[in-house]
Amino acid sequence: MTAAEEIREIGICGATATGKSALAILLAERLGGEIVSCDSMQIYKGMDIGTAKPTREELARVPHHMIGFLDPGTAYSCAQYVQDAQKVIDDIKSRGKIPIVCGGTGLYLESIYYRNRFSDSDISPTEASAKRDELLSYAREFGNDALHRRLRDIDPEAAAAIHPSNTRRVARAIEIYETTGVTKTEWDKKSRNGEHVNMTVIMLQYKERASQQRAIKVRCRKMIEDGLEHEVRELYNAGLITNGKTAGQAIGYKEFIPYFSGMESVRAAQDKFFHATCRYAKHQETWFRHKEYVNRIYVDDVISGKLTMEEVADMAAAMYSEKRDGDGGSKQPDAE
C-alpha cells in the first residue's frame, strides 16, 4: 500500500444550516486537509449566495475544489461528479494532504464512499428530485395503491417491506430504480456488502426540530440580507435559470421565478424559500438515517450558543483519530 492509499479521507454531511462548511475548514486547518465540495448546486458559476458557497475569506484559509466550474443550466450527473471528484481526491492524497469531502448532496458523498457504484447513472440530483415530485403527484391522482403496484412490478421485495400508505418511501424506492437502474433491494445489499474507501464520515444533526428550523431561519434571512434576490434576478434575466433547466430547480432560486414573472409577491417567494429549505433538510436527514457508516454529532447547542464549532471540531477530530487507530465502532456523542 502506498503512502497516499494509507491516508484516511473525511466525509462531512448533514442537513443545511448544521455547520458542515465551518467544521470542514476547522478540520482542514488542524489536520492538513483540502475540501472537496459534494454539493450539487455549488458546482455552478454565479450561484453563490443561494448555495452558501465559501466566502473569499474562507477560500483563502483552505483550498476548496469542485466549486463554481459550470455554467448554470448545464446538466451534470452523479457519474460525472464521481469521475471528476475522484481525480481531485487522488491529487490531494498524492501531496500528502487529507481530502475532506463536504456537502449536503447525499448521493454524491455515498457514491464516493462506495467507490463509484452508481457511476452508470446519468441522472442529476435535481432531476431525481423532479422524479420524486412526479411520483408523489401520480399517487395523489391515481391513489397510493396504484403507485405501490408500480414498485411491486420492478422491486417486489421492497414493495413487500413498504406499506402502500407510506407514499414517500414507495416513491423513493421507485426513484432509486428509475434514476440509477438499480432496485432499492439491490442498492441496500450493495450498501451492506460493497467495498468502500478508507473514510470517516461525520454527520452534523439537530435532535430537536425547533433548533433546526431556528438555524434555517437565520440562514435564510442572512442570504436575503446578503442579496439573494439580486443574485437570482441577474441569473433569471440572463435566461440561465428557468423551470426547465437544472439550476432552476435549486432551492433559493426556483421560489423567486413566480415573483419575477409577476405571479406572486416577494414575501410569498421568501416564505416559499424558507419552507422549501426545511423540507429539503428533512430529506437530507432521511437519506442518512440508517447509514451504518455515519458518525453523528448533535449540534443543537451551537445555535443556542452553549457549544462552539471549535468544540464540535474537537469531537470530529477525535472520531477521525479513533478510526485511524483501528476502532471501527460508530461514535455518536451527544453535544447537549
Side-chain angles (χ1 to χ4, degrees):
M1 182 179 291
T2 66
E5 290 173 332
E6 291 179 350
I7 294 176
R8 172 172 284 273
E9 302 165 24
I10 299 175
I12 299 177
C13 61
T16 186
T18 51
K20 297 185 296 294
S21 297
L23 175 60
I25 289 172
L26 289 171
L27 288 181
E29 290 176 331
R30 290 187 185 193
L31 304 175
E34 298 185 13
I35 297 170
V36 183
S37 172
C38 63
D39 185 294
S40 65
M41 288 296 141
Q42 287 188 355
I43 62 178
Y44 292 112
K45 301 173 185 176
M47 298 175 66
D48 303 332
I49 298 172
T51 65
K53 281 182 186 172
T55 64
R56 290 183 179 178
E57 292 74 18
E58 290 170 334
L59 291 171
R61 288 171 61 184
V62 173
H64 288 68
H65 306 272
M66 301 297 292
I67 292 177
F69 61 92
L70 281 181
D71 292 325
T74 304
Y76 192 71
S77 70
C78 181
Q80 291 171 298
Y81 170 78
V82 172
Q83 184 177 13
D84 294 339
Q86 194 60 59
K87 292 177 182 177
V88 172
I89 290 170
D90 291 343
D91 175 66
I92 293 171
K93 294 172 75 171
S94 74
R95 292 183 279 107
K97 301 290 186 178
I98 298 172
I100 301 176
V101 183
C102 174
T105 304
L107 179 62
Y108 279 17
L109 178 60
E110 185 157 293
S111 296
I112 288 290
Y113 183 80
Y114 281 115
R115 295 191 183 276
N116 198 14
R117 62 189 175 92
F118 300 128
S119 63
D120 57 341
S121 172
D122 290 324
I123 306 297
S124 71
T126 49
E127 290 173 296
S129 178
K131 169 62 68 176
R132 185 166 56 254
D133 291 342
E134 173 194 317
L135 292 168
L136 292 174
S137 295
Y138 179 90
R140 286 191 293 269
E141 183 175 356
F142 299 104
N144 296 346
D145 288 338
L147 184 68
H148 195 261
R149 283 195 296 272
R150 286 179 60 174
L151 176 59
R152 193 164 60 240
D153 289 342
I154 59 175
D155 190 354
E157 190 172 338
I162 303 174
H163 195 276
S165 64
N166 195 336
T167 54
R168 289 199 170 273
R169 284 193 64 199
V170 174
R172 176 60 181 147
I174 297 173
E175 173 200 331
I176 288 171
Y177 176 74
E178 293 191 359
T179 58
T180 68
V182 178
T183 65
K184 183 180 185 300
T185 299
E186 184 64 20
W187 185 342
D188 291 342
K189 192 178 300 181
K190 287 185 178 181
S191 296
R192 289 190 295 269
N193 303 324
E195 180 185 9
H196 59 80
V197 297
N198 189 20
M199 176 186 284
T200 297
V201 180
I202 298 163
M203 179 176 180
L204 301 185
Q205 185 173 349
Y206 291 104
K207 273 189 174 181
E208 301 295 332
R209 187 69 61 190
S211 298
Q212 183 180 64
Q213 291 188 347
R214 188 159 66 251
I216 290 174
K217 187 171 290 186
V218 170
R219 164 73 66 87
C220 291
R221 186 181 298 122
K222 185 176 188 307
M223 286 180 172
I224 291 170
E225 291 173 353
D226 288 346
L228 176 61
E229 180 189 335
H230 176 72
E231 176 177 281
V232 182
R233 187 182 292 275
E234 286 195 332
L235 293 167
Y236 177 79
N237 290 340
L240 294 175
I241 56 167
T242 67
N243 284 327
K245 290 190 174 182
T246 302
Q249 298 297 317
I251 294 172
Y253 295 82
K254 63 182 179 181
E255 290 79 18
F256 281 91
I257 293 176
Y259 164 58
F260 295 149
S261 59
M263 298 173 61
E264 292 182 351
S265 68
V266 65
R267 179 60 183 270
Q270 292 173 354
D271 288 344
K272 281 187 173 181
F273 170 39
F274 169 71
H275 291 298
T277 303
C278 289
R279 287 194 300 271
Y280 182 57
K282 186 175 180 180
H283 174 69
Q284 289 172 302
E285 289 181 346
T286 300
W287 177 277
F288 288 103
R289 181 171 295 164
H290 301 297
K291 308 297 185 183
E292 295 180 357
Y293 58 81
V294 169
N295 301 270
R296 289 173 173 79
I297 297 177
Y298 296 102
V299 293
D300 297 67
D301 282 349
V302 173
I303 192 67
S304 66
K306 297 178 183 178
L307 183 73
T308 68
M309 285 307 299
E310 288 283 356
E311 291 171 317
V312 173
D314 290 340
M315 298 178 193
M319 288 176 174
Y320 181 69
S321 176
E322 288 170 356
K323 288 288 186 178
R324 292 185 67 189
D325 292 341
D327 179 3
S330 174
K331 304 296 181 182
Q332 300 186 18
D334 189 342
E336 296 184 335

